Amino acid sequence: MIHKEAHLSDSLFTPEISQRPTRDGYGEGIVLAGRANPRVVALTADLSESTRSNFFEKEFPDRFFELGVAEQNMATVAAGLAVSGKIPFIASYATFSPGRNWEQIRTTISYNDANVKIAGHHAGISVGPDGATHQAIEDIATMRVMANMRVIVPCDAIEARKATVAAARIVGPVYLRFGRGKTPVFTTEKTPFVPGIAQILWQGKKPQVVIIGCGPLLHNALLAAKELQKQKLEVVVLNMHTIKPLDEKTLLAVVAKCGAVVTIEEHQVMGGLGGAVAEVLAKKLPTPMEFIGMQNTFGESGTPAQLMEKYGMDVSAIIAAVRRAAERRISIRG
Amino acid sequence: MLTTTKIKQMELEANAIRANIIETLVEAGSGHSAGPLGMADIFTAFYFHILAHKPKQPTWADRDRLILSNGHICPVQYVTLAHAGYFPVQELLTLRKLNSRLQGHPHRGSLPGIETTSGPLGSGLSQAIGVALAARMDKKTYRTYALLSDGEHNEGNIWEAVMLAGKLKLHNLTAVIDRNNIQIDGYTEDIMPLEPLREKYEAFNWHVLEVNGHDIPAFVAAVNEAKAIYEKPTVIIAHTIPGKGVDYMENDYKWHGNPPGIMDMPGEPPKKEQERDALRSLRTLGGSIECHHLE
Ligand SMILES: Cc1ncc(C[n+]2csc(CCOP(=O)(O)OP(=O)(O)O)c2C)c(N)n1
Ligand SMILES: [Mg+2]
């Protein structure tokens, strides 16, 4: 059942649940961060509106910078601002930033330990009709692998706002990942959000499998959990919004109780959330795992719902993965 | 030969391509309008006159290469390729849909006639340099055309390529810039001024031509002049009107990335009427001739 302390939305399982893109949360978050701290500045590369940087531009025109279509320049200018005391938020599509400007981020932000917040928008295949060139499915891996970098993937617009505000308070580089389309707003103002602390969303009785996810896909995980409960298969759903630093303590405690894991992410199954979880478990608590995500392919054009189905991230795919994980668990634990 | 009749035919073809772009975008429900409409004349000139190509044999080794760098204007390339016979015109209606060969941004290998994957801006000229350089090494006589946008000149990658092509004196390479003065966030000279663009290219050792991008014979003449330049790569700065042919879209950056019929915008026709108005504007050539079958 729904974990009480998560304070999820009452309309969680109803069609009336409100739908907003996580990028809206980014726009609201940078405005709040800007009000709280005059050192916060925002930059964009000819994508002011679609990254919601325009929210900040409107309120703080003097602290907003339009760099044109130049992501490499945006990252390095931000590094310069950061080493001069500013707290820059840079925003573009994730395929371009942190995709195209990866080396600039590595050298001038990460290695410099510059206090820059990188907002990667239009991440995941749910970008839809724009097609594979615009669907970032490698960004968690390429950011996670950098020393000094933190990686946060908010699950809805509210958590996105909280994560953006929190990122401004963290000293050092942070990567924040946002989606394009409207997705269910299933957390509430009361839902706890602390970077680096995973949150249990659903707690089954005597659970056999834990679904560990990040981003809007967690809503599908909750739908799957509810359906599985009807089918007498109990699970835990864990919101691992911070992929780096990973909350090992919560992870190990939950996995020890469940004995099997399904990870879900709108990302390649290599190197992302699933990879991060597997690294910890392989070392400290080897456990059967199933990985939901892009299986070493690119996305393509289509509606988000069609793509979720085709690439195996919809509710039925999650249920099937949980069943596979549960079976593998039995063969080990009995 | 570019006879008066052929010029007339191509102008009509370009207009038919524009109408098809509108219909294709409306069916897709998303995609870019202004850039594709603005480049319809140039695409027509390429595929119906300039290029040596065989639509039924798209990988013919000696074909001229047309490399589209600003992949978001692919609707104009898709429609032109279909009209030129690369694939059935009906297939245009699959644009941006699941399992379509017409991806939201062009994907090499998905559709005949697409030379490189693009969409992420600023990397087409570098790829075209590679193609032209290979031709030079292999003593091939095909020509390489790189189609660029003005906004993507904000990318440093473009200038790295501009420098290299000048150094290599790649005279088998011709770049064409869609100089329509708009990008997403506004007018190019407000977002990141490009002028003086001609002088910039000249300083990087390019031969520079400027034409009206809606004047097909003038454009063809510029391409021919480029073929006669042996010491430098040539860039043709094509001055175009974004949204060309659809009165309410012309020169309006708000139409960079939206198809008709998706949203109401201040100062634009109501969304229900946008498609009809666009097609009427095209078929009546801006109201200068009558067109009854639309009513
Ligand atoms: C590397 C990269 N950054 C950002 C974008 C998003 N984008 C798509 S089109 C565009 C505007 C570029 O201006 P231009 O090509 O002149 O636009 P048009 O004239 O077609 O309206 C931008 C920023 C992109 N496609 N690639
Ligand atoms: Mg332009």
Side-chain angles (χ1 to χ4, degrees):
Chain A
M1 56 190 279
I2 295 169
H3 187 54
K4 273 228 173 61
E5 284 154 43
H7 295 287
L8 297 184
S9 160
D10 294 336
S11 44
L12 172 62
F13 293 124
T14 69
E16 290 80 50
I17 187 160
S18 83
Q19 305 264 348
R20 291 184 74 200
T22 56
R23 54 184 166 147
D24 280 7
Y26 173 72
E28 293 165 4
I30 46 175
V31 169
L32 293 176
R35 285 181 195 153
N37 190 335
R39 293 191 293 130
V40 169
V41 299
L43 289 72
T44 190
D46 201 21
L47 288 171
S48 174
E49 196 262 349
S50 53
T51 63
R52 304 298 191 249
S53 301
N54 58 346
F55 293 12
F56 190 94
E57 177 179 15
K58 217 170 142 208
E59 185 156 336
F60 305 107
D62 299 337
R63 286 152 59 188
F64 170 83
F65 303 99
E66 169 69 79
L67 294 233
V69 206
E71 299 79 12
Q72 301 170 75
N73 200 31
M74 179 165 68
T76 42
V77 167
L81 286 164
V83 299
S84 317
K86 301 290 180 206
I87 306 173
F89 279 76
I90 64 174
S92 179
Y93 296 160
T95 44
F96 314 136
S97 175
R100 169 161 299 201
N101 53 12
W102 185 86
E103 189 277 335
Q104 281 86 355
I105 291 174
R106 177 180 188 271
T107 307
T108 72
I109 297 177
S110 220
Y111 192 34
N112 252 341
D113 206 4
N115 195 13
V116 177
K117 317 304 165 186
I118 302 151
H121 290 263
H122 284 36
I125 55 169
S126 56
V127 165
D130 270 341
T133 52
H134 286 54
Q135 299 165 348
I137 50 174
E138 307 84 2
D139 51 314
I140 298 177
T142 59
M143 287 294 98
R144 186 168 86 78
V145 77
M146 283 186 188
N148 295 334
M149 186 66 69
R150 291 100 177 142
V151 178
I152 304 179
V153 182
C155 64
D156 66 10
I158 292 179
E159 191 173 271
R161 168 164 36 78
K162 293 176 186 166
T164 306
V165 170
R169 295 209 197 101
I170 294 171
V171 181
V174 179
Y175 176 56
L176 296 160
R177 180 185 218 237
F178 303 99
R180 172 178 188 270
K182 289 183 182 166
T183 47
V185 183
F186 58 93
T187 70
T188 61
E189 298 301 335
K190 278 180 154 172
T191 307
F193 177 82
V194 182
I197 306 286
Q199 175 67 47
I200 294 175
L201 303 179
W202 178 279
Q203 179 68 61
K205 281 190 200 113
K206 292 201 193 145
Q208 299 176 44
V209 178
V210 51
I211 306 174
I212 305 173
C214 61
L217 269 185
L218 277 164
H219 187 250
N220 280 356
L222 289 166
L223 294 172
K226 190 169 177 236
E227 179 57 33
L228 283 160
Q229 187 179 45
K230 280 190 212 148
Q231 303 173 11
K232 306 268 182 286
L233 206 169
E234 294 282 352
V235 302
V236 172
V237 177
L238 187 62
N239 179 2
M240 193 62 84
H241 47 69
T242 308
I243 290 161
K244 191 182 175 189
L246 197 74
D247 181 358
E248 291 193 17
K249 212 175 126 205
T250 307
L251 173 69
L252 292 170
V254 175
V255 173
K257 282 201 189 111
C258 297
V261 174
V262 173
T263 55
I264 59 168
E265 59 197 309
E266 249 188 87
H267 186 273
Q268 288 289 7
V269 291
M270 296 92 79
L273 169 66
V277 167
E279 285 164 16
V280 173
L281 295 183
K283 193 167 155 193
K284 302 196 172 154
L285 184 60
T287 306
M289 276 185 78
E290 293 288 325
F291 298 77
I292 285 195
M294 297 301 280
Q295 309 287 338
N296 197 25
T297 84
F298 283 99
E300 62 181 295
S301 294
T303 65
Q306 289 172 328
L307 295 170
M308 288 299 158
E309 192 194 328
K310 178 161 179 177
Y311 292 96
M313 300 183 201
D314 58 357
V315 177
S316 63
I318 297 172
I319 290 175
V322 169
R323 293 212 164 277
R324 284 197 303 275
E327 268 175 34
R328 291 175 58 198
R329 172 186 186 274
I330 289 166
S331 67
I332 293 172
R333 290 203 178 183
Chain B
M1 259 289 287
L2 204 50
T3 59
T4 331
T5 319
K6 181 145 190 209
I7 294 169
K8 194 74 226 158
Q9 271 175 351
M10 282 200 283
E11 286 168 358
L12 291 172
E13 179 62 45
N15 209 48
I17 286 172
R18 287 192 172 94
N20 241 210
I21 289 172
I22 295 292
E23 288 157 349
T24 303
L25 286 170
V26 167
E27 172 65 28
S30 67
H32 300 76
S33 298
L37 292 169
M39 286 295 282
D41 298 299
I42 286 176
F43 270 83
T44 305
F46 268 118
Y47 285 93
F48 289 88
H49 187 71
I50 296 166
L51 293 179
H53 67 135
K54 299 182 178 175
K56 298 288 175 234
Q57 209 185 312
T59 56
W60 173 46
D62 292 325
R63 70 191 182 282
D64 287 337
R65 310 300 203 264
L66 186 145
I67 286 159
L68 178 65
S69 182
N70 48 331
H72 65 274
I73 71 162
C74 61
V76 64
Q77 188 174 24
Y78 292 163
V79 174
T80 312
L81 286 171
H83 283 216
Y86 279 84
F87 58 87
V89 174
Q90 307 86 277
E91 200 175 337
L92 290 169
L93 296 177
T94 69
L95 173 66
R96 292 182 158 245
K97 296 193 173 158
L98 193 68
N99 301 324
S100 172
R101 299 199 289 174
L102 282 68
Q103 289 293 296
H105 292 80
H107 177 229
R108 174 186 157 81
S110 279
L111 191 69
I114 300 298
E115 301 281 1
T116 58
T117 296
S118 59
L121 292 165
S123 48
L125 186 58
S126 303
Q127 294 176 74
I129 288 174
V131 171
L133 197 55
R136 176 192 280 179
M137 292 162 74
D138 298 343
K139 303 207 166 39
K140 291 271 194 191
T141 55
Y142 66 77
R143 295 194 62 83
T144 302
Y145 296 96
L147 268 55
L148 319 175
S149 70
D150 46 7
E152 70 171 330
H153 280 72
N154 300 172
E155 290 280 359
N157 197 166
I158 290 269
W159 297 102
E160 295 165 20
V162 171
M163 207 162 6
L164 179 61
K167 170 188 166 173
L168 296 172
K169 300 188 168 62
L170 276 176
H171 59 82
N172 57 352
L173 171 71
T174 303
V176 177
I177 302 174
D178 176 14
R179 184 67 174 118
N180 64 5
N181 294 294
I182 65 162
Q183 54 192 105
I184 294 186
D185 282 351
Y187 295 105
T188 58
E189 299 316 285
D190 296 332
I191 299 301
M192 189 55 63
L194 290 178
E195 294 301 338
L197 189 56
R198 163 188 276 274
E199 285 81 352
K200 284 184 180 137
Y201 267 89
E202 281 170 350
F204 282 79
N205 293 318
W206 284 60
H207 183 65
V208 185
L209 299 169
E210 293 193 59
V211 298
N212 170 354
H214 305 300
D215 183 338
I216 291 178
F219 182 73
V220 170
V223 169
N224 285 335
E225 179 174 329
K227 289 183 189 163
I229 302 293
Y230 285 97
E231 275 306 303
K232 293 175 173 183
T234 296
V235 59
I236 301 173
I237 301 175
H239 295 275
T240 65
I241 296 171
K244 169 79 177 167
V246 176
D247 45 13
Y248 64 86
M249 288 188 186
E250 287 191 355
N251 292 315
D252 183 349
Y253 66 80
K254 290 200 294 295
W255 288 102
H256 155 90
N258 293 315
I262 295 297
M263 21 173 190
D264 288 314
M265 291 191 261
E268 310 294 341
K271 72 177 179 193
K272 282 211 182 68
E273 288 162 30
Q274 287 167 2
E275 179 186 13
R276 198 198 54 199
D277 284 8
L279 291 174
R280 181 188 290 125
S281 182
L282 286 165
R283 292 189 178 138
T284 61
L285 300 178
S288 62
I289 55 171
E290 288 185 20
C291 182
H292 294 293
H293 77 270
L294 266 177
E295 303 307 321

